[in-house]
Amino acid sequence: MKYDYQYAIAAIVATITLLFIVCHRRSYPTLSNRIFILILILNLVSASADMVTFWTISYPQNYSLPILYLTNMVYFITYSAFGASFLVYVGSLAKTESAKSISMAIAAFGWGIITILVLSTPFTHWMIYFDDSLQYRHGPLLWLMYIIVAILVLMAATIMFNRRNRFTSQQKAMVTSLVAGVTICVIVHILNSRLDIVNFVGAIILNFLYITFENPGDYTFRDTQCFNYRAFQLEAIARMRHDKDNKVVFIGLRNSFNTNEYQNVHEFGLFSRTAAMMLHREFGKNVFAIDDTKFAIFLNESRRITEEVTLKRIKKTFDKKIKIEEKETNIIYKAKAISLEEIAKSEEDIIILIDGVRNVSTDELFSAESMNQLLRKNERLHDIAKCLDDAEEKGKLMAVYQPIYNIEKRTFESAEVLLRLSDPVLGNISPEEFIEVAEHTGHIEQLGNFALKSACEFLIKCRKQKLGIEFAEVNVSIAQMRKPDFACKALGIINEYGIEPGSINFEITESVPLSNDEVALANFNRLIEAGAQFAIDDYGSGYFFADYLFNFPVSIVKIDKAILWKAVEDEKARIVLNSTIEMVKKLGKTVVVEGAETPEMVRLVKTNGGEYIQGYFYSKPLGEDEFINFIERKNKKMSH
């Protein structure tokens, strides 16, 4: 029987080309990156073995029986390893330990079964055999190999579906294409055994997978080819896991012809790229660009990359002048060795630390006082994270409620639910602190659920006592909105308490865009469809995303207190306040003005057409019992 081996040749060429591109382009060696290279090698070996088997099967009389079996066995083992490796690859991309462990266990089990069947096939003839005339024949269990490989690929798709929030729509489309491609190839091969296109289709899909998954730009600066801060985080975490030396030299750069600011954006970019390339030439892959003017180099005592040697090499690198737009300048730099082991106690600490380094200026980073502040802040964040671990169980977390006044009805009919965190050692922790930590550590879902449950219990008590409180406003973080099951869980909590979704207003800050976030947008729409309402919080405090007002059914706009406070003393600010209230009302949305603390502020809101007021003039945030007593007194007073 003669076989078509053109597809195997095409698969070999396509895979070698992609392998060359992957090796040529600089990319940080993440686990997924290493597995992807392994998949390429397996596809190359499998396609090569496939072509050899085509030849030996077509001319069996020219080869001994062991050679005939060996070539087929190599093909079967590498072909099945391709499917197993792909499952592990998707598991590594999910970036959770459970996904990695599950994918590796299933892949090892499936590939192990196939390997046992293949290795025993010369004696059992389970997979293939050669008859007396050396003609190739399928064994009774050959179909099992294809089924197992198909299951492995389907399991990869299942892992992606279960953790779909970690993948883009393009990535999900690529995995779906691979599943469909493998299935079609198996069917085609069963119907026409002369036509084996699995490796060819695999090579094509691997090219698309590389484009959608293995983006070197995720871990490198394109112009300089230095690894970026994401790669630095991964390297620091890997060193922590393996107890390697985690001492780093941080470098901060400035130029001499303008010590405060660069002449323009173009000039700044040239200076940054030039300095980065100089460091890259000297230190190679060991230099990491934290941002445009801050870099880091890991020390390695065993390889004689000591602090002293590194500082001398940095000095030598920047001793000469460089030209920026025909201007000669010296690179003024500061360098300091820091032991990450003394600062970071966990992987989360490293992420928080690097964020801190990126957000301070070069001078602040290298001043002794700033560095100590950064260390203290890091330690405090670590302690806050530990506090959040058992905050709800140990009563450290509590909800408070700030009433919102209805100007027209002259009564209170809603309240904002706010969280407070207190620890015996740390004392009262500000929401700004613990919310930021919660978003980094994953505690934000716990806090969000607590706030929503508190809001539901609060509404039930208010209604039983007929206080007139019909709505509760709950802050929601974009980190929560980006969880695929957020809407489902939120509605589950609301339904559990028997509260109508329309009684809950979810507050989201205007500085966070939703239009380009598929998961967040899906949650938004799901909650709106169920009857829940959304409010833009702190309107006017940050960059305004018009999408919220124009394209999303947001019901409430809460004007930030900064506008009101400024309007008390500034005529232009009063015009802004008046225009903002008028615009929001014309769009058919409810206006709440935050931060009213004095009679003059309340008067300003009323005279400019405000509908609701929130602030300390009426009440600070109160505990549940205090709030109920407050409302009973106020409503009774206002009714007379």
Side-chain angles (χ1 to χ4, degrees):
M1 181 184 291
K2 300 295 187 294
Y3 289 84
D4 295 327
Y5 54 84
Q6 294 90 338
Y7 288 104
I9 295 174
I12 291 170
V13 173
T15 306
I16 289 176
T17 302
L18 180 57
L19 194 58
F20 173 79
I21 293 172
V22 171
C23 294
H24 178 71
R25 293 184 69 182
R26 182 173 172 79
S27 181
Y28 183 76
T30 61
L31 176 61
S32 61
N33 175 259
R34 292 192 292 267
I35 297 172
F36 185 79
I37 292 174
L38 174 62
I39 292 173
L40 286 176
I41 294 171
L42 288 171
N43 197 59
L44 177 60
V45 175
S46 178
S48 302
D50 199 20
M51 189 174 68
V52 173
T53 59
F54 287 160
W55 185 264
T56 57
I57 290 172
S58 299
Y59 304 99
Q61 66 278 4
N62 297 335
Y63 305 94
S64 64
L65 189 60
I67 293 296
L68 294 173
Y69 272 114
L70 181 62
T71 53
N72 281 274
M73 289 164 64
V74 171
Y75 168 68
F76 289 146
I77 289 175
T78 52
Y79 167 75
S80 58
F82 174 89
S85 299
F86 179 71
L87 172 57
V88 176
Y89 176 68
V90 173
S92 69
L93 289 171
K95 293 182 172 61
T96 62
E97 290 302 321
S98 60
K100 292 177 188 177
S101 302
I102 291 170
S103 63
M104 290 182 71
I106 295 174
F109 180 73
W111 186 64
I113 291 174
I114 294 174
T115 302
I116 291 171
L117 292 174
V118 170
L119 293 177
S120 62
T121 207
F123 315 103
T124 61
H125 298 172
W126 281 340
M127 303 291 285
I128 61 165
Y129 65 93
F130 295 89
D131 60 20
D132 294 338
S133 59
L134 294 182
Q135 291 300 307
Y136 173 83
R137 304 295 182 194
H138 288 170
L141 295 181
L142 180 61
W143 57 272
L144 184 60
M145 179 188 72
Y146 292 113
I147 289 179
I148 290 176
V149 171
I151 290 174
L152 293 176
V153 176
L154 284 171
M155 285 300 300
T158 302
I159 288 175
M160 172 168 281
F161 177 79
N162 290 335
R163 292 164 177 81
R164 53 192 176 277
N165 61 312
R166 298 179 180 271
F167 300 91
T168 65
S169 55
Q170 292 87 353
Q171 290 172 335
K172 287 180 276 193
M174 283 301 101
V175 172
T176 304
S177 299
L178 183 63
V179 173
V182 170
T183 304
I184 292 170
C185 290
V186 170
I187 294 172
V188 168
H189 186 57
I190 291 173
L191 296 176
N192 182 1
S193 59
R194 294 178 63 251
L195 193 61
D196 191 350
I197 59 174
V198 173
N199 294 110
F200 174 65
V201 173
I204 293 175
I205 295 176
L206 283 173
N207 276 272
F208 287 106
L209 284 176
Y210 178 70
I211 294 171
T212 53
F213 283 99
E214 293 300 313
N215 182 11
D218 289 344
Y219 299 103
T220 58
F221 281 112
R222 184 180 60 182
D223 293 336
T224 64
Q225 292 301 294
C226 284
F227 288 137
N228 62 18
Y229 78 94
R230 294 188 185 93
F232 180 80
Q233 287 177 348
L234 292 176
E235 181 68 20
I237 288 170
R239 286 170 175 260
M240 173 181 282
R241 288 175 179 172
H242 296 96
D243 294 324
K244 289 185 177 179
D245 187 10
N246 236 355
K247 198 168 186 180
V248 178
V249 171
F250 282 110
I251 307 165
L253 308 179
R254 299 177 76 176
N255 63 19
S256 63
F257 58 79
N258 194 335
T259 57
N260 294 316
E261 293 181 14
Y262 297 94
Q263 300 293 328
N264 52 55
V265 174
H266 175 65
E267 200 172 81
F268 171 82
L270 285 176
F271 169 76
S272 176
R273 287 194 294 273
T274 302
M277 286 188 286
M278 292 169 71
L279 284 172
H280 184 251
R281 281 195 296 269
E282 179 65 26
F283 293 97
K285 64 180 182 180
N286 199 33
V287 61
F288 296 79
I290 306 301
D291 62 18
D292 292 311
T293 58
K294 291 193 282 290
F295 300 84
I297 299 170
F298 281 99
L299 302 181
N300 191 326
E301 298 286 344
S302 62
R303 295 185 179 179
R304 297 183 180 178
I305 307 176
T306 63
E307 178 181 345
E308 183 182 358
V309 170
T310 301
L311 292 175
K312 285 182 178 178
R313 289 173 66 185
I314 294 170
K315 185 177 185 302
K316 177 184 174 184
T317 300
F318 293 138
D319 260 354
K320 49 193 174 185
K321 290 188 175 183
I322 61 171
K323 273 193 176 182
I324 304 293
E325 294 288 290
E326 301 304 319
K327 302 174 186 176
E328 280 197 341
T329 178
N330 291 318
I331 296 179
I332 303 172
Y333 74 93
K334 294 182 179 180
K336 188 171 188 175
I338 298 170
S339 175
L340 295 182
E341 295 171 348
E342 297 176 2
I343 304 172
K345 300 175 183 177
S346 67
E347 295 178 10
E348 289 80 11
D349 283 355
I350 288 177
I351 295 172
I352 294 171
L353 175 66
I354 302 310
D355 285 343
V357 171
R358 292 174 64 214
N359 292 327
V360 298
S361 69
T362 297
D363 288 340
E364 289 173 329
L365 175 63
F366 290 95
S367 71
E369 183 180 353
S370 176
M371 212 56 190
N372 288 331
Q373 287 175 349
L374 197 61
L375 299 183
R376 286 197 299 271
K377 179 184 177 182
N378 186 265
E379 289 174 356
R380 178 168 173 80
L381 294 177
H382 179 81
D383 291 337
I384 292 173
K386 287 177 65 178
C387 175
L388 287 171
D389 287 337
D390 57 5
E392 189 173 349
E393 293 80 3
K394 293 192 175 181
K396 302 175 185 177
L397 188 65
M398 67 173 291
V400 293
Y401 310 88
Q402 187 169 33
I404 300 174
Y405 182 68
N406 185 321
I407 296 174
E408 182 182 354
K409 295 182 179 179
R410 299 180 59 196
T411 187
F412 298 96
E413 61 179 24
S414 61
E416 180 177 358
V417 182
L418 301 164
L419 296 184
R420 298 292 182 260
L421 182 65
S422 180
D423 182 83
V425 177
L426 300 175
N428 294 325
I429 305 167
S430 72
E432 289 78 11
E433 273 193 300
F434 71 77
I435 293 296
E436 180 185 355
V437 173
E439 289 180 339
H440 275 292
T441 60
H443 290 95
I444 193 66
E445 184 175 1
Q446 165 199 339
L447 298 185
N449 290 342
F450 180 83
L452 185 55
K453 289 177 182 179
S454 299
C456 293
E457 292 172 356
F458 169 75
L459 284 174
I460 290 172
K461 288 186 179 180
C462 288
R463 289 175 181 179
K464 280 184 179 179
Q465 299 192 36
K466 298 181 180 180
L467 298 178
I469 302 297
E470 297 298 328
F471 306 98
E473 303 193 356
V474 179
N475 289 280
V476 59
S477 162
I478 191 61
Q480 293 170 263
M481 293 287 287
R482 284 175 176 153
K483 291 182 178 292
D485 57 355
F486 169 69
C488 182
K489 286 185 176 180
L491 291 173
I493 291 171
I494 293 170
N495 293 332
E496 180 185 345
Y497 284 91
I499 299 292
E500 316 83 50
S503 301
I504 301 295
N505 300 329
F506 291 100
E507 293 189 10
I508 189 164
T509 59
E510 61 151 329
S511 59
V512 180
L514 284 180
S515 55
N516 295 323
D517 195 312
E518 294 179 6
V519 176
L521 192 56
N523 280 318
F524 183 94
N525 290 329
R526 173 77 187 280
L527 289 167
I528 290 291
E529 289 168 5
Q533 301 184 74
F534 272 82
I536 300 176
D537 194 19
D538 299 331
Y539 177 83
S541 64
Y543 183 76
F544 169 50
F545 289 93
D547 276 355
Y548 281 118
L549 290 179
F550 303 150
N551 300 324
F552 298 120
V554 172
S555 307
I556 303 164
V557 175
K558 302 188 74 173
I559 298 175
D560 188 68
K561 62 185 179 183
I563 295 178
L564 176 60
W565 289 3
K566 189 70 174 175
V568 172
E569 56 189 32
D570 186 83
E571 178 61 30
K572 292 180 181 178
R574 283 195 286 274
I575 294 172
V576 171
L577 176 65
N578 178 271
S579 300
T580 303
I581 291 173
E582 185 179 350
M583 175 195 69
V584 172
K585 290 172 71 174
K586 283 183 177 180
L587 289 171
K589 305 181 189 304
T590 301
V591 179
V592 179
V593 180
E594 299 179 298
E597 295 188 354
T598 65
E600 187 179 2
M601 290 179 179
V602 172
R603 181 186 59 78
L604 264 177
V605 175
K606 290 180 178 180
T607 56
N608 282 282
E611 297 171 291
Y612 290 83
I613 309 177
Q614 180 179 351
Y616 275 53
F617 175 79
Y618 293 103
S619 174
K620 65 179 181 178
L622 302 169
E624 191 175 88
D625 292 337
E626 287 180 288
F627 182 93
I628 290 172
N629 292 333
F630 169 83
I631 294 297
E632 286 177 338
R633 290 197 313 271
K634 286 291 183 181
N635 284 346
K636 186 176 181 179
K637 182 179 178 181
M638 291 174 183
S639 63
H640 288 82

